Amino acid sequence: MPRAAPPAPAQHPTAAADGSEAGAIPIGLFRACVALRDWLLSEGARMPESGDLLAGLAQRLNDLGIPVDRATTAIDALHSEYTGVGRFWTREGGVTLRLFPHGEASDRALAESPFAVVYATGEWLLLDLDKTPDDRFGIVAELKAAGYRHHLTIPIFFTNGTNNGVTFATRSPAGFSAESIAVLRFIVPTLSAVMEMRGLNTRLDQVLRIYVGDGPHHAILSGSIRRGQVERIRSAILFADMRSYTHLTQALTPEASVDLLNTYFDCLVPPIESEGGEVLKYMGDGLLAIFRETGDGLGGAAQSALTAAQTALRRLDEANAAARFPTRISAGIALHHGEAAYGNVGSGARLDFTVIGRDVNLASRLAKLNKLLAEPLLMSKPFVDFLWGDPEPLGSHPLDGIPEEIAIYRPARSGH
């Protein structure tokens, strides 16, 4: 919801903070206002949850005599599933979170909200709800029904050009006084800086998680960005790819091919993640995922990987039955157990987190046997050694680039 055409910062300042606002603050409150700004820059900036920052701010504003009964923030998000994040605090309900998905519904909600006005003008908007028609904004009737008297919308423009904001509402019969507004004008530039620091950190965290996966993203943020650094992970390894992808997509446009892949991965990825797996790499129509060992020796990672693979194949069958693909899609999944390693490779300032190692290569070669053996799911001997059941042996087979033949298994069929 926070998205809109970015304003020019020089024309639309976050607040008219030239120092004159301090003169309107009662002398007895000035020290407390400075203390609140210091709290925002220190403890508030380091709080793990942004909702705690919002609740803490509302509490401290009330301690200053500013009658805040409702406070919200709207932060632009760089995320594949939603366009913005809203946090809502009320005196009676505490903090709640709302995600604004991409699409017309969020665009319409923004157009009907006070944020559309303040983003366009760059000015604060104070609504006297007793004098505001219900159809002025989509939220007015709701605010009136909840007993609010004044509602203040404040635009916050980050230095990266994104539009964000904060709102405050009060049930006080007197509404927000001129002194309350002066205190908020004194506080908001500091709040804006803290929100931007937290927001940029969140965007970096989310983008890295989306593009390199959970484990590598933590490694990058912890400083593992030197070429040649390698992390080894003992895990169950899942390798999946679509059969006959090149042939299937020859007659499709690039856009249709992307839609096909996204629908295909929607069948595979949720079961992997629900079983605690991590997708480390997408490779065209294939993916590589790992299920980390916990070190208890009970084989939980292997069982989770097998459950995820079987669920993914079942969801793929369901998608085919529902005609969600332009033609019938099938996949081959290979499961192995060993050591996955990912490390920084590349040259100069352009590096990539690449998954490497003998066990990863073995899993990818094993997937090539799916079509040859007409089996959608194959497992190596090192993998089945960790399973609790009794899979069916399919003999030993040579794999490209692997010097010894590998014993291959499939899950036990019903009735066996």
Side-chain angles (χ1 to χ4, degrees), residues 83-94:
T83 182
V85 178
R87 289 179 176 83
F88 298 74
W89 173 88
T90 61
R91 186 184 294 273
E92 62 276 10

Side-chain angles (χ1 to χ4, degrees), residues 156-210:
I156 292 179
F157 304 119
F158 288 175
T159 56
N160 64 0
T162 59
N163 294 341
N164 309 272
V166 61
T167 74
F168 299 100
T170 182
R171 293 190 177 98
S172 170
F176 290 125
S177 66
E179 291 178 351
S180 294
I181 299 297
V183 169
L184 290 173
R185 286 201 178 275
F186 185 73
I187 296 299
V188 162
T190 304
L191 174 62
S192 173
V194 172
M195 288 174 61
E196 178 158 10
M197 285 189 293
R198 297 178 64 94
L200 291 178
N201 285 336
T202 299
R203 287 165 74 93
L204 176 60
D205 182 273
Q206 289 174 339
V207 169
L208 284 175
R209 188 188 301 270
I210 288 169

Side-chain angles (χ1 to χ4, degrees), residues 43-92:
E43 183 180 345
R46 294 193 298 269
M47 283 183 164
E49 299 294 334
S50 293
D52 295 336
L53 171 64
L54 182 61
L57 173 63
Q59 174 190 329
R60 285 163 175 78
L61 288 172
N62 276 287
D63 291 344
L64 288 175
I66 301 175
V68 176
D69 295 299
R70 181 183 188 270
T72 75
T73 57
I75 307 297
D76 182 81
L78 189 60
H79 198 277
S80 59
E81 297 176 318
Y82 51 86
T83 182
V85 178
R87 289 179 176 83
F88 298 74
W89 173 88
T90 61
R91 186 184 294 273
E92 62 276 10

Side-chain angles (χ1 to χ4, degrees), residues 5-13 119 157 163:
Q11 297 174 341
H12 297 322
Y119 289 160
F157 304 119
N163 294 341

